[in-house]
Amino acid sequence: MSPAFDVIVIGLGAIGSAAARELARRGARVLGIDRWAPPHAMGSTHGETRIIREIYFEDPLYVPLLQRAYTLWETLEAECGERLFTPCGGLMIGAPESALIRGTRESAARYGLPAQEFDARTLASRFPQFELPAHFVALLDPRAGYLDPERAVAAQLAGARAAGAAIHTDERVLSWARDGDGIRVTTERGRYHAAQVIIAAGAWTRALIAPTRALPLTGERQTLVWFDAGAARDRFAADRFPIWICEFEDGQAIYGFPDQPRGWKAAVHHAGGPIDDPDTIERAVTAADLARVRGGVARLFSWVAHAPVNEAAICSYTDTPDLHFLIDRLPEEPRVLVTSACSGHGFKFAGAIGELQAQLILGETPTFDPAPFRLARFGASAR
């Protein structure tokens, strides 16, 4: 019996919804399945804003992928008729020899991107909202801004449906296995048969792959806080305040956004503690969570030390050991493409990764070489 679907996509957050849309637009018979009803607050794709920036400090290899992502976000905005991206510029802040500043300079130099550099005194005159240590510098990425994650996922799913994809929500996947000339996916509601499968299930990816191999993925709990800027709120509007990331010399990294309807959002990066089981993650924000974020952010904005909290939420990262993405077929089951594990910096790439997944699944020549994101780099630890 021929498979009923060409592709089943398991997980419909940022990455899975983008893959479903790109595949369906290419004429593939697609079934997308999510345990909840995306956009939802159970995984990694929620919280009102996500940073997008072109001058990528993590590694210059991401810059071409980012440039493609910018184009695809514009395409999606035109398709859905909604604003998904707000440009406001972005500041990378730290000591001159910090990894953040060195990486930003390297990406800017390699691709000839404009990155205006400020010392602390000059930045204070341009953006007086920041309170930098005297020896810190800042690099301005003029193309940076933020995306609306909930609207973006909804738009990608709407595009997938419009192109003919079947989208099943509130349906938990229990297992998958080789079945004849395809893959059988079993859920709480039934069984489905597809020629190929994409697993983009975030923190649940490791459990879905476990019967086949042990992936070196770790979950990480992340706290997001929206502070009340009070009478100073206008100073943090998007037309006068950028997105920002700051790395301190003790390794702590913090980041934040212009003021939003829910408040002035900020967080501490990679500091929320491990997630042993995503089904039992503590979703209530604790006093310790708030204190960690407040204390970190107050290092750059002293008013935060006593600011009221409008709202706080928990989301999850799924990290690889080197914090680079994972996009690869399982060697022992090449009909299954495992993707994402975006390590806390992947949302901005969703459209470009969705396109890359579709190209790999359908045998097209990929726009970008996926070699840096393959399982082989983990060696025996991935077996």
Side-chain angles (χ1 to χ4, degrees):
M1 181 178 67
S2 298
F5 297 97
D6 296 314
V7 191
I8 293 175
V9 180
I10 301 174
L12 296 173
I15 304 302
S17 62
R21 175 175 171 271
E22 288 290 341
L23 285 161
R25 293 178 70 204
R26 286 165 164 77
R29 297 170 298 163
V30 179
L31 169 62
I33 307 174
D34 197 280
R35 183 174 177 177
W36 291 281
H40 54 70
M42 303 304 290
S44 305
T45 306
H46 63 96
E48 194 176 34
T49 53
R50 286 292 184 278
I51 287 173
I52 183 169
R53 47 198 166 84
E54 182 180 27
I55 309 175
Y56 217 63
F57 75 86
E58 288 87 343
D59 196 305
L61 74 86
Y62 288 96
V63 173
L65 195 63
L66 264 169
Q67 292 172 334
R68 180 59 178 160
Y70 271 96
T71 298
L72 293 174
W73 286 122
E74 292 175 3
T75 300
L76 186 61
E77 281 187 320
E79 179 183 301
C80 72
E82 291 191 75
R83 183 179 185 180
L84 305 176
F85 167 55
T86 300
C88 60
L91 286 174
M92 306 298 111
I93 302 167
E97 296 307 313
S98 64
L100 176 62
I101 296 300
R102 286 187 289 105
T104 303
R105 286 173 175 157
E106 181 182 357
S107 282
R110 183 172 301 186
Y111 290 98
L113 302 174
Q116 187 175 1
E117 187 163 339
F118 303 91
D119 59 23
R121 179 178 297 180
T122 306
L123 187 76
S125 64
R126 174 77 178 270
F127 295 105
Q129 302 93 329
F130 293 90
E131 303 166 39
L132 265 62
H135 65 293
F136 271 27
V137 298
L139 289 165
L140 179 65
D141 180 343
R143 206 177 178 195
Y146 58 91
L147 297 156
D148 185 318
E150 286 90 351
R151 286 185 179 180
V153 170
Q156 289 181 159
L157 289 174
R161 289 187 179 99
I167 302 297
H168 291 196
T169 60
D170 295 309
E171 184 169 355
R172 182 181 180 181
V173 171
L174 301 177
S175 65
W176 59 270
R178 171 66 77 91
D179 185 3
D181 57 353
I183 301 293
R184 181 184 68 254
V185 174
T186 301
T187 75
E188 294 172 321
R189 296 184 191 172
R191 293 182 177 182
Y192 309 97
H193 194 212
Q196 299 185 78
V197 167
I198 293 174
I199 297 179
W204 287 267
T205 297
R206 185 172 58 180
L208 284 167
I209 300 300
T212 302
R213 68 161 46 206
L215 289 180
L217 305 180
T218 56
E220 186 178 357
R221 188 171 172 273
Q222 179 75 357
T223 304
L224 312 174
V225 181
W226 288 261
F227 295 99
D228 186 347
R233 184 174 184 181
D234 286 350
R235 298 177 68 221
F236 296 97
D239 61 352
R240 65 189 68 178
F241 186 76
I243 62 94
W244 54 273
I245 303 172
C246 178
E247 179 188 354
F248 292 101
E249 287 161 300
D250 59 8
Q252 186 180 59
I254 59 176
Y255 65 93
F257 300 83
D259 198 72
Q260 302 296 314
R262 291 157 71 175
W264 188 80
K265 179 184 169 185
V268 178
H269 193 40
H270 288 301
I275 298 171
D276 296 323
D277 182 351
D279 287 331
T280 60
I281 182 176
E282 176 56 68
R283 296 194 177 275
V285 177
T286 68
D289 293 329
L290 290 177
R292 180 176 60 255
V293 176
R294 187 189 296 277
V297 177
R299 299 175 75 177
L300 205 60
F301 304 90
S302 60
W303 62 271
V304 169
H306 305 289
V309 171
N310 288 346
E311 193 174 338
I314 299 297
C315 76
S316 61
Y317 290 172
T318 306
D319 301 333
T320 60
D322 59 11
L323 300 183
H324 291 300
F325 301 161
L326 169 58
I327 307 171
D328 200 3
R329 295 181 182 274
L330 292 177
E332 54 282 307
E333 185 42 83
R335 295 174 183 267
V336 175
L337 177 69
V338 182
T339 189
S340 189
C342 286
S343 303
H345 66 111
F347 182 90
K348 61 185 76 66
F349 296 92
I353 293 177
E355 181 179 65
L356 179 58
Q357 292 173 102
Q359 291 166 341
L360 294 173
I361 285 287
L362 299 178
E364 300 175 8
T365 301
T367 309
F368 299 94
D369 181 4
F373 307 134
R374 287 181 178 145
L375 275 165
R377 73 186 195 269
F378 302 125
S381 65
R383 292 180 172 83

